[in-house]
Amino acid sequence: MSRIGKKPIEIPKEVTVEVKEGEVRIAGPKGTLAVKFRPEIEVLVENNQVLVKRRKEDKFARSLHGVTRTLIANAIEGVTKGFSKSL
């Protein structure tokens, strides 16, 4: 089981998240981003949190679970904090 994929993602107050067919749209003060996901994964928005779940329990779906959650979390961070490069 994916430990990363199980963690819910908190949505900040200034961010809106919409889930449509195979895509998550995230809008915030720094812009808008979209993250596409495979049909083996299910994305839900409940109680100001984003939940990522698997629809199947095969190896491929398990491998996508944590990656999809991380991509969505990074997009939420990108529309709130923006890009920064530190050396």
Side-chain angles (χ1 to χ4, degrees):
M1 290 221 172
S2 175
R3 290 184 222 158
I4 302 282
K6 286 182 177 181
K7 293 182 181 178
I9 307 166
E10 294 293 326
I11 302 172
K13 292 180 183 178
E14 64 272 4
V15 176
T16 59
V17 178
E18 293 179 13
V19 179
K20 293 187 179 178
E21 300 174 18
E23 186 176 72
V24 179
R25 289 202 162 276
I26 303 153
K30 300 271 184 173
T32 303
L33 292 173
V35 177
K36 293 186 179 185
F37 59 92
R38 302 270 310 190
E40 292 88 354
I41 302 296
E42 181 180 8
V43 179
L44 305 168
V45 178
E46 295 176 352
N47 300 328
N48 215 21
Q49 293 180 337
V50 178
L51 303 172
V52 180
K53 297 183 179 182
R54 294 189 294 258
R55 292 187 183 174
K56 298 180 181 179
E57 290 299 323
D58 60 348
K59 185 176 181 178
F60 186 62
R62 288 193 312 264
S63 68
L64 291 173
H65 191 198
V67 171
T68 305
R69 188 249 180 229
T70 303
L71 289 173
I72 295 170
N74 288 343
I76 289 174
E77 183 178 339
V79 297
T80 55
K81 296 177 185 174
F83 175 77
S84 65
K85 187 175 184 180
S86 61
L87 299 175

